[in-house]
Amino acid sequence: MAAPTRTTSRRKVPAAASLDCATAFQAMALDCVAAIKAHHSSACAGDAEAVHQIRIAITRLRSAVAFFAPIVVDAEWLRLKKEIAWLNGSLGAARDSDVLQEYARRKRYRAWAQRMIGKQLDQRQMRDHRQLVRALRSVRTQRLISAMAGWIRRGPWLARWQRRKDAEALQIYCARELIRWYGRLVRKGRRLKTLGTSRRHRLRIKFKRFRYMLEALTETVSLWGRREVRHLHRPAKRLQRALGDLRDLKRFASLADDAPQAKKDKANKHPPGYRRRKEKLLDAALASHREIAMPFAGSILQNSI
């Protein structure tokens, strides 16, 4: 599904030349926590878009931690990571239900969904959102949000960083890490066509994190301009979305697997145009990977070191 425009406001940060790795990470991570807080009330009220935005914020936070892992990962993060996974479980279930409901309402799939799935999806969506609201309103979530902000601002990792005398310049560190991520994505993406469902999903997450870090390094800390990284960002975004749509389509089709009607009507077990749509989405992902793997695409990173 196409991701909506982000609605969170940007905090003003110092110019990139005055930032070090720790300050850059704090700017990115605190921006994510601010987005979680901004959409919390709306998500509790059942706003599907707010749920989506909180999930994006959490993924962006995880991406920043993974990117700056040698600097920021400590025992406190490992504890927070488990709590984030707990909350993200409820967020993910509610988001999946919302996406599947969107599919069921499309003109192309509406009749098929009513015949093969029935009210099962409505019941699932209601259940998942109720569980999410309980989680979001819990003391556990409030403590988690507070703990994340505290860890970002003054966690044990920061004192360790401040004691370092061999700190690397921000631009050198970021360019080197992006080159490493880029190389891994190009290498693993070559097997995209034959990857199983779980491995393809993991690759999609890696492309999503790469895309989010490119956005953070251009929008939040202004390390590069958008024009400089567009040859990497655009195909990464298209690939991630194509694989996401493919996953959603398969999950939507699987809802009918156990339905009584599916046993009677095997010829129409899958949604209309299912096979063709799958092939089209995979072809789009493969085309995006070919584009991102072109030699000139990563040249900006090489030139930054």
Side-chain angles (χ1 to χ4, degrees), residues 102-120:
E102 265 185 57
Y103 268 91
R105 288 171 181 164
R106 290 182 185 180
K107 185 177 180 180
R108 184 178 191 181
Y109 301 134
R110 197 178 301 150
W112 178 88
Q114 289 173 353
R115 184 176 71 254
M116 304 298 287
I117 303 172
K119 296 182 179 180
Q120 174 194 153

Side-chain angles (χ1 to χ4, degrees), residues 2-6 49 52-53 56 95 241:
T5 305
R6 297 178 69 202
E49 175 59 18
H52 183 46
Q53 291 299 326
I56 289 176
R95 175 59 183 168
R241 287 187 172 180

Side-chain angles (χ1 to χ4, degrees), residues 179-192:
I179 288 172
R180 186 173 69 84
W181 281 26
Y182 171 77
R184 178 181 61 185
L185 291 174
V186 169
R187 185 174 65 255
K188 293 191 174 184
R190 292 192 185 109
R191 303 194 298 274
L192 179 57

Side-chain angles (χ1 to χ4, degrees), residues 5-252:
T5 305
R6 297 178 69 202
T7 57
T8 54
S9 59
R10 289 285 177 192
R11 297 179 305 106
K12 292 184 178 180
V13 296
S18 66
L19 294 174
D20 59 18
C21 290
T23 311
F25 168 73
Q26 287 178 318
M28 295 176 194
L30 288 173
D31 188 64
C32 298
V33 174
I36 293 171
K37 291 179 178 179
H39 294 287
H40 182 271
S41 296
S42 297
C44 287
D47 187 336
E49 175 59 18
V51 173
H52 183 46
Q53 291 299 326
I54 292 177
R55 288 200 75 212
I56 289 176
I58 287 176
T59 304
R60 286 179 179 272
L61 175 59
R62 285 173 155 176
S63 302
V65 172
F67 191 78
F68 289 102
I71 297 166
V72 305
V73 170
D74 56 19
E76 179 62 14
W77 166 251
L78 297 179
R79 187 189 71 79
L80 289 172
K81 185 178 178 181
K82 293 179 181 178
E83 291 297 287
I84 290 171
W86 162 77
L87 177 59
N88 210 35
S90 295
L91 287 163
R95 175 59 183 168
D96 286 345
S97 290
D98 292 337
V99 170
L100 295 176
Q101 190 68 266
E102 265 185 57
Y103 268 91
R105 288 171 181 164
R106 290 182 185 180
K107 185 177 180 180
R108 184 178 191 181
Y109 301 134
R110 197 178 301 150
W112 178 88
Q114 289 173 353
R115 184 176 71 254
M116 304 298 287
I117 303 172
K119 296 182 179 180
Q120 174 194 153
L121 196 50
D122 293 331
Q123 294 166 353
R124 171 178 170 170
Q125 187 182 35
M126 188 178 298
R127 178 200 67 203
D128 290 340
H129 271 274
R130 282 176 177 171
Q131 290 177 350
L132 174 60
V133 170
R134 283 197 294 269
L136 287 172
R137 289 177 174 169
S138 68
V139 174
R140 185 175 179 179
T141 293
Q142 297 304 315
R143 287 175 177 169
L144 171 59
I145 294 172
S146 177
M148 284 192 296
W151 172 75
I152 293 163
R153 290 192 177 98
R154 52 186 177 276
W157 68 271
L158 186 57
R160 185 180 66 202
W161 164 263
Q162 290 169 342
R163 291 195 298 268
R164 289 183 59 171
K165 297 180 180 180
D166 59 342
E168 202 169 17
L170 175 63
Q171 187 157 352
I172 293 175
Y173 177 88
C174 292
R176 192 187 71 248
E177 283 301 296
L178 283 176
I179 288 172
R180 186 173 69 84
W181 281 26
Y182 171 77
R184 178 181 61 185
L185 291 174
V186 169
R187 185 174 65 255
K188 293 191 174 184
R190 292 192 185 109
R191 303 194 298 274
L192 179 57
K193 193 170 185 177
T194 58
L195 287 178
T197 302
S198 60
R199 288 188 176 182
R200 191 178 290 164
H201 177 61
R202 288 197 294 270
L203 181 63
R204 171 180 164 261
I205 297 301
K206 287 182 172 63
F207 268 100
K208 183 187 287 189
R209 288 184 173 185
F210 181 71
R211 166 202 163 188
Y212 283 168
M213 284 311 302
L214 288 174
E215 291 174 358
L217 291 169
T218 55
E219 297 172 4
T220 307
V221 300
S222 303
L223 191 60
W224 289 293
R226 292 184 181 182
R227 289 183 179 181
E228 292 177 297
V229 299
R230 65 184 175 184
H231 295 307
L232 292 169
H233 180 266
R234 286 179 180 176
K237 184 177 181 178
R238 288 197 298 268
L239 189 150
Q240 172 231 315
R241 287 187 172 180
L243 291 184
D245 287 346
L246 179 59
R247 180 173 180 263
D248 292 338
L249 179 64
K250 287 184 174 182
R251 290 168 70 89
F252 178 59

